[in-house]
Amino acid sequence: MNVSNSLDAGPPHAATVLARIQESPTIFTLQLRLDDAAAQAAYRFAPGQFNMLYLYGVGEVPISIMSDPEERDLIGHTIRALGRVTRGLAALKPGDRVGLRGPFGRGWPLQEVGGCDVVLVTGGLGCAPVVSVIHYVLRRRERFGKLVIIQGVKHAEDLIWREQYDRWAKLPDTQVLVAASEGAPLWPWHVGRVTELFSLANFDPGCAVAMMCGPEGMMRSAADALLARGLPESRLYLSMERNMQCAVGRCGHCQFGGAFVCRDGPVFNWGEVKALLAHKGF
Amino acid sequence: MLSSQSDRAGFLPLAQLPSLLARLRERGYQCLGPTVEQGAIVMRELEPPNDLPRGIQAEQTPGRYRLTSHPLNRYFAWASGPQAIKPHTFAPKESLWRVERDEAGSLQFAAVHPPVVRQAIIGVRACDLAALALQDAHFLREGRRDAHYAQRRDHLFLVAVQCAEPASTCFCASTGDGPTPTAGYDLALAELADGFVAVAGSDQGQAVLDDLNLSLATSQQIEAARQQGASAAAVQTRSLPGRNLRDSLMSRLEHPRWDEVAARCLACGNCTAVCPTCFCHAEADTPALDGATSEHERIWDSCFSEAHGHLHGFNVRADIRGRYRQWLTHKLATWHDQFGRSGCVGCGRCIAWCPVGIDLTEEVAALTEGQP
C-alpha cells in the first residue's frame, strides 16, 4: 500500500504539539498538527507508515503513526523515551514545536484482507504501529472477518492502552489476548509468553491475514505458531525496525539484505525476509 | 574506448596537455587533477602554471601504498589513489537543511543548496567511472533524485585515462570494469610515449576536442593504445571467482571464515571510506552556539561504525563479524538485488588502504572455496 509522499527527504515541516499523554512511566504520546494548514489538510498516511520527527537542534527519529488515518486534524505518535531525541521529545509540552516529514514506507496490506479475519500480534511498543490498523478495521467493520488482537509485554506495567484493550474485548467478533512475561497484582490476563496464547486465538487460518510487530525473536516464534496453525506464508506480514536516518532509501543504515527497510518496508511479507531473519546481524 | 570511435580519435601531443586544461578553464570548469599530497595521489584543483605530476607510480599491496618514480616519466602511470570522483559528487560532509527558531519557539526550515561549481576531473579511471555509474543509480534513482548529488553531477566534466600500469591490488579486468574506459566519460585519453590518443564520449567532450584542433590518431597509435589496455588487463593477478556471487555468499552466512576475518579486522572503516561505490551516510544536527539556528548535515558513514546498526538500546551488528559480513555481502551479493550488478568495480582500494591488509579477493576465495 503505497501512498505518495507529500514530504520528501527534507527539510521537515514545522508542527505543534497539541497534546502530550503519558502512557506509562517511559512511554508517551504526542499529538501533532502541521503548522502549515494546507500541508495538514493534504496529509494522508496508511496504517503502518512512519514519520521522521525532528527535535530542534538534536536530530530526527523514525516513529510509526498511531493515530486514525481518518483523523485529519492531528497526527499521533506513541514513543518510548530511550535515546537523545526521544528523551527530549518526552520533555515537550503542548504548544512546543517539532519538525515532521513523512509519511514514509509501505504500510500494512489492508486491501488484501478481503473479508477475511485479521490477526494482530504485537510485542511491547510494537502495538503502536498496529493500533491504526485496529482503528481502520473497527471503522470498516463490515469489510473484515474476526479481529484477533494478541499483545505481549515483558512486565504487566508495560502494557499501555489497558482501557482500550478492555473496550475492544467487549466488541463483537473481536478477541483480545494479552500476556505479560511477568505479572502484577490484579493482572487480569495471561502470565507467560504471548505465543502460549495462540491456541486460544479464534480465526480461520484458511481465510485470515496476520500482521506482526515487536521484537524479532517474538515475531519468529509467532510466525512458527501461525504457520503451524495453517496460515499460508503469503498471508503473514511483519513490520521491521532498523536504524533510519534519511527515510528515503539513501543513507544505507536500514538495509536488510537488499531491502531498504524505510522504503521497501517497514512492512514486509514473511517470505521476503524469513531467510535473513534466521541470521543474527542483518 | 578505442574500438567504436577510433575513426574519430585525435592525437594530443604531450606538449599540448596544458592546452586541454586551458580549454576546460575557458569553458568555466575548475580543473581537478592528480596532485601529490601527504604521500598519495589525490584530486586537487590544478592551478596554472603548475603542471600535472610526471613520472609517479603508486605501488600498492595489501595494507601498503607508496609513491615511487616511474622510469618512463609518464603522467598517468599511477594506479588509483585513495579517492577519485566520489568526494566531488557525494560530498563527505554537507548541510542539507537549516532551521531557525525564533523567541516564540516557532521553527522555520529551509533547504540548503550547495554552490554551483563546474568541475572537470582529469585522470579518472575506468573503475572510477563504473563506480560513478553505481552512485548515479543510487543517488539519482527515479523519483528520488538527491538534489545535492544531482547538481554536482550535472556540472561535472570527466577526462578519463586508460590504466596502463595497474597496481598489484587491481582486479578491474575480473569485474569487467577496466582497465580501458568504455563509457561514462566526456573525454578519454590513452597515454603513449609522445602523447595521448583522445576520444570524446559526449557532446561537451567532442566540443573540447574540436577546440583543440588535433590531428587524427594514426592506426599505429590506436593499436598501441589497444595493446596497452590488453596488457594492463593481462598483468592483473587478483580476481573474483565470478561476477555474480550473490547466491554463493548468501548461502555461506555462517561460514567460519567470517569469524576468522573478524579477528583481523579493526572495524576502522578505511575500506568503506576509500570504496568508490559506498554510499552510507549519517545525518547529524549541529545547533549554533546562540541556539537560534541548527544545521542538519550528512556525513559519510561506514557500516563498520558502531552507530551504523544502532537501534533503540541495542546494536543489530554489535560484533565485527557482523559488520564485515554486512559490508562484503552488501558489496558483492545484495547489491545485485538493489542495482542489478555487484557493487565492486575492482579498484583494489579497500585492499591497499586496509591497515591490516585484509584482501577482499582472498576473503571471497576462502568463503566460496573456489565454488562460486
Side-chain angles (χ1 to χ4, degrees):
Chain A
M1 180 184 286
N2 276 307
V3 172
S4 67
N5 291 297
S6 50
L7 311 175
D8 191 2
H13 280 221
T16 299
V17 177
L18 298 182
R20 182 197 178 285
I21 301 144
Q22 193 71 40
E23 309 278 9
S24 86
T26 57
I27 299 171
F28 60 99
T29 296
L30 292 181
Q31 292 183 338
L32 306 173
R33 182 184 293 158
L34 298 177
D35 290 355
D36 176 346
Q40 177 65 49
Y43 186 88
R44 297 286 183 281
F45 75 95
Q49 288 192 299
F50 67 96
N51 285 325
M52 294 300 286
L53 296 189
Y54 168 76
L55 178 67
Y56 178 76
V58 183
E60 290 185 302
V61 280
I63 305 284
S64 63
I65 309 163
M66 56 69 67
S67 47
D68 190 317
E70 300 277 300
E71 173 64 73
R72 296 276 182 259
D73 292 335
L74 62 86
I75 305 167
H77 293 281
T78 296
I79 306 164
R80 187 194 300 276
L82 204 67
R84 282 168 67 236
V85 178
T86 51
R87 282 199 301 264
L89 290 172
L92 296 178
K93 300 177 297 297
D96 286 343
R97 300 318 207 299
V98 295
L100 184 152
R101 56 188 179 97
F104 295 113
R106 176 171 67 169
W108 298 107
L110 290 163
Q111 312 303 328
E112 288 173 33
V113 179
C116 287
D117 299 342
V118 177
V119 182
L120 305 175
V121 184
T122 58
L125 199 49
C127 58
V130 171
V131 72
S132 59
V133 175
I134 299 176
H135 294 310
Y136 186 93
V137 170
L138 293 178
R139 274 185 187 259
R140 300 162 183 79
R141 201 64 196 85
E142 71 291 348
R143 285 202 226 159
F144 297 91
K146 291 191 275 286
L147 174 63
V148 183
I149 301 166
I150 306 173
Q151 157 76 350
V153 288
K154 226 183 261 174
H155 306 285
E157 55 268 33
D158 293 340
L159 184 73
I160 60 171
W161 304 332
R162 266 180 96 137
E163 300 75 19
Q164 293 199 53
Y165 285 105
D166 285 334
R167 192 152 40 80
W168 294 328
K170 290 180 187 125
L171 297 174
D173 286 329
T174 304
Q175 186 183 19
V176 172
L177 297 167
V178 181
S181 303
E182 291 173 36
L186 301 177
W187 174 252
W189 289 293
H190 181 71
V191 175
R193 288 170 169 276
V194 71
T195 41
E196 290 159 12
L197 298 173
F198 279 76
S199 56
L200 303 174
N202 180 22
F203 64 95
D204 173 7
C207 184
V209 170
M211 307 177 200
M212 310 185 287
C213 186
E216 282 172 21
M218 182 281 276
M219 292 197 286
R220 284 203 304 272
S221 309
D224 290 344
L226 289 165
L227 297 171
R229 283 278 302 265
L231 183 82
E233 189 177 278
S234 62
R235 309 278 274 174
L236 177 57
Y237 291 84
L238 75 166
S239 181
M240 300 265 305
E241 261 189 306
R242 283 296 176 269
N243 185 312
M244 292 178 189
Q245 302 191 19
C246 72
V248 293
R250 210 174 272 155
C251 78
H253 294 87
C254 71
Q255 290 175 91
F256 184 71
F260 291 85
V261 173
C262 69
R263 179 187 86 197
D264 304 322
V267 173
F268 290 95
N269 183 265
W270 179 247
E272 295 176 286
V273 293
K274 64 171 182 182
L276 214 48
L277 271 180
H279 302 276
K280 274 197 168 153
F282 284 99
Chain B
M1 138 189 193
L2 301 162
S3 48
S4 59
Q5 291 157 301
S6 54
D7 54 326
R8 298 179 65 191
F11 189 77
L12 177 73
L14 281 188
Q16 264 199 60
L17 186 57
S19 57
L20 167 60
L21 302 187
R23 294 294 86 75
L24 289 167
R25 289 193 184 103
E26 280 164 18
R27 287 166 178 271
Y29 286 104
Q30 179 190 54
C31 289
L32 305 179
T35 306
V36 175
E37 193 178 287
Q38 296 180 54
I41 292 276
V42 292
M43 296 298 186
R44 292 286 182 265
E45 184 166 8
L46 302 168
E47 305 267 13
N50 286 350
D51 220 343
L52 289 155
R54 264 187 104 165
I56 291 171
Q57 203 165 12
E59 224 178 79
Q60 302 183 54
T61 54
R64 190 168 187 279
Y65 176 101
R66 293 289 182 282
L67 295 182
T68 58
S69 60
H70 184 251
L72 297 181
N73 205 31
R74 294 261 172 113
Y75 282 101
F76 298 99
W78 47 274
S80 55
Q83 305 285 350
I85 305 171
K86 188 169 94 170
H88 304 288
T89 44
F90 168 32
K93 181 174 177 170
E94 67 181 318
S95 186
L96 298 180
W97 39 268
R98 180 178 293 129
V99 51
E100 268 181 56
R101 183 167 68 172
D102 66 17
E103 281 169 14
S106 287
L107 301 180
Q108 295 287 340
F109 292 92
V112 174
H113 301 288
V116 175
V117 182
R118 286 160 68 81
Q119 288 192 320
I121 310 182
I122 291 99
V124 301
R125 304 309 170 106
C127 56
D128 300 323
L129 296 172
L132 182 67
L134 285 171
Q135 290 255 304
D136 286 352
H138 182 65
F139 286 105
L140 303 178
R141 205 171 70 88
E142 187 71 33
R144 280 274 190 238
R145 268 167 76 90
D146 180 273
H148 292 238
Y149 182 94
Q151 180 174 299
R152 296 199 186 86
R153 187 70 181 89
D154 289 345
H155 296 93
L156 194 61
F157 187 101
L158 295 168
V159 181
V161 177
Q162 177 195 54
C163 259
E165 312 220 16
S168 86
T169 43
C170 293
F171 55 102
C172 62
S174 149
T175 64
D177 297 307
T180 298
T182 55
Y185 53 79
D186 294 290
L187 281 180
L189 308 176
E191 184 175 13
L192 302 177
D194 49 351
F196 302 89
V197 175
V199 296
S202 69
D203 293 345
Q204 297 100 294
Q206 188 60 53
V208 171
L209 268 196
D210 292 346
D211 281 0
L212 287 166
N213 206 15
L214 304 178
S215 56
L216 284 178
T218 65
S219 56
Q220 290 88 338
Q221 287 166 331
I222 291 167
E223 177 56 18
R226 197 197 59 75
Q227 280 186 12
Q228 187 166 264
S231 98
V235 298
Q236 294 183 13
T237 55
R238 285 187 162 76
S239 65
L240 288 175
R243 290 192 188 164
N244 189 343
L245 301 171
R246 188 195 180 284
D247 295 343
S248 176
L249 288 170
M250 295 310 277
S251 62
R252 290 170 169 89
L253 296 178
E254 305 300 336
H255 195 288
R257 184 72 181 195
W258 300 115
D259 292 305
E260 206 272 323
V261 65
R264 285 176 283 136
C265 174
L266 307 176
C268 67
N270 264 20
C271 49
T272 58
V274 297
C275 178
T277 68
C278 273
F279 54 71
C280 281
H281 54 275
E283 299 199 8
D285 297 85
T286 311
L289 282 176
D290 66 2
T293 60
S294 187
E295 296 272 326
H296 186 81
E297 292 175 312
R298 74 171 164 206
I299 305 149
W300 283 4
D301 198 3
S302 167
C303 53
F304 285 93
S305 77
E306 189 162 14
H308 194 279
H310 180 80
L311 197 56
H312 56 71
F314 76 104
N315 198 312
V316 172
R317 284 179 284 281
D319 58 4
I320 295 179
R321 172 185 182 271
R323 295 183 209 167
Y324 189 86
R325 191 180 61 176
Q326 170 66 24
W327 136 259
L328 198 74
T329 56
H330 180 220
K331 194 66 56 187
L332 299 177
T334 54
W335 210 288
H336 286 272
D337 302 335
Q338 296 172 340
F339 302 105
R341 62 153 289 175
S342 152
C344 177
V345 295
C347 70
R349 289 180 171 101
C350 59
I351 305 173
W353 293 93
C354 174
V356 294
I358 293 171
D359 177 347
L360 169 136
T361 62
E362 190 184 319
E363 297 312 313
V364 170
L367 282 160
T368 57
E369 295 144 0
Q371 308 248 313

